Amino acid sequence: MGFIKNILSVIGGIVILGMLFAYVKFDLGTRMDQISKLDPQAIGTFAEMGDHLLATGNSAESMVKKVMIDDAVSTEDLIANLNEIAITKNFKVVGDQTMSTSGVDADGQKTKYIRIVSFCSPGIAKQFVDYSAAFGAFMPCRILIVEDDDGHRWMYTMSMELMLFGGHTLPPEMMKQATHVRDTMYLMLNEAGKEDGNF
């Protein structure tokens, strides 16, 4: 019995030393103070992204959302739907670039359809760049249209929860605008490629 008690005491001592080491090495007090100042949804947002990263091993996959485009929706109709949503939500189409078409290249290799359509609300963009110029690196908002190996088309866009909740809580007006941007891009993603899209 004394032996077990001694072992438990040693283990307890190791745990305490480990905690002290971590506290000194990583300055946990400061870290916890910094974490407490983040938006209340930040930890959950980072945890969800981390779970996706661990599951896929692909950092890009953990930062995007994607949906399959209905086969019945032509690419031309899809673009028209995206543009209609943009107009109704006061967004501008600021770019539309076909990077690759379906077919065969000069070397006889099969090519896939790749197209990027970009959107922006200049007023919202200015507000965010005024707040932090770093936000400008994520502009404009983009929808990637890409064909997979089976010929199905997909839409991708950046997951925007980090913009809303990844740092300190945004000022109320900026949070309202950021939510509008996220909701608009997700509406495009979720509805523009459906045969019976609701927008």
Side-chain angles (χ1 to χ4, degrees), residues 35-43 164-170 175:
I35 290 171
S36 72
K37 294 176 182 175
L38 296 177
D39 187 275
Q41 297 186 56
I43 300 301
L164 271 75
F165 311 119
H168 293 175
T169 301
L170 294 172
M175 179 63 79

Side-chain angles (χ1 to χ4, degrees), residues 27-28 38 53 60 68 88 126 132 146 149 161 163 186:
D27 195 5
L28 290 183
L38 296 177
L53 174 60
M68 186 184 288
T88 61
K126 180 183 183 307
S132 170
V146 63
D149 291 335
E161 276 63 39
M163 176 181 70
Y186 287 2

Side-chain angles (χ1 to χ4, degrees), residues 82-113:
L82 290 171
N83 290 343
E84 182 178 340
I85 293 170
I87 290 169
T88 61
K89 299 298 182 180
N90 295 316
F91 271 48
K92 290 185 176 181
V93 180
V94 294
D96 185 351
Q97 183 67 50
T98 300
M99 312 296 290
S100 175
T101 57
S102 300
V104 178
D105 67 16
D107 297 323
Q109 299 296 314
K110 183 179 178 181
T111 59
K112 301 175 188 176
Y113 188 87

Side-chain angles (χ1 to χ4, degrees), residues 60-182:
E61 284 278 354
S62 69
M63 294 186 285
V64 300
K65 292 189 178 294
K66 63 180 181 178
V67 298
M68 186 184 288
I69 301 163
D70 286 354
D71 290 337
V73 178
S74 70
T75 301
E76 291 74 20
D77 286 342
L78 172 68
I79 298 300
N81 292 344
L82 290 171
N83 290 343
E84 182 178 340
I85 293 170
I87 290 169
T88 61
K89 299 298 182 180
N90 295 316
F91 271 48
K92 290 185 176 181
V93 180
V94 294
D96 185 351
Q97 183 67 50
T98 300
M99 312 296 290
S100 175
T101 57
S102 300
V104 178
D105 67 16
D107 297 323
Q109 299 296 314
K110 183 179 178 181
T111 59
K112 301 175 188 176
Y113 188 87
I114 303 171
R115 186 170 180 174
I116 300 171
V117 187
S118 303
F119 305 89
C120 191
S121 170
I124 296 175
K126 180 183 183 307
Q127 187 175 2
F128 272 82
V129 169
D130 286 347
Y131 179 76
S132 170
F135 277 109
F138 298 93
M139 298 174 189
C141 299
R142 291 175 292 276
I143 297 276
L144 166 70
I145 304 163
V146 63
E147 182 182 11
D148 67 18
D149 291 335
D150 298 318
H152 298 298
R153 292 161 303 143
W154 294 78
M155 280 189 292
Y156 286 74
T157 197
M158 186 175 67
S159 178
M160 296 194 171
E161 276 63 39
L162 286 179
M163 176 181 70
L164 271 75
F165 311 119
H168 293 175
T169 301
L170 294 172
E173 182 58 26
M174 287 190 65
M175 179 63 79
K176 178 181 175 182
Q177 300 292 358
T179 300
H180 174 68
V181 171
R182 179 196 62 180

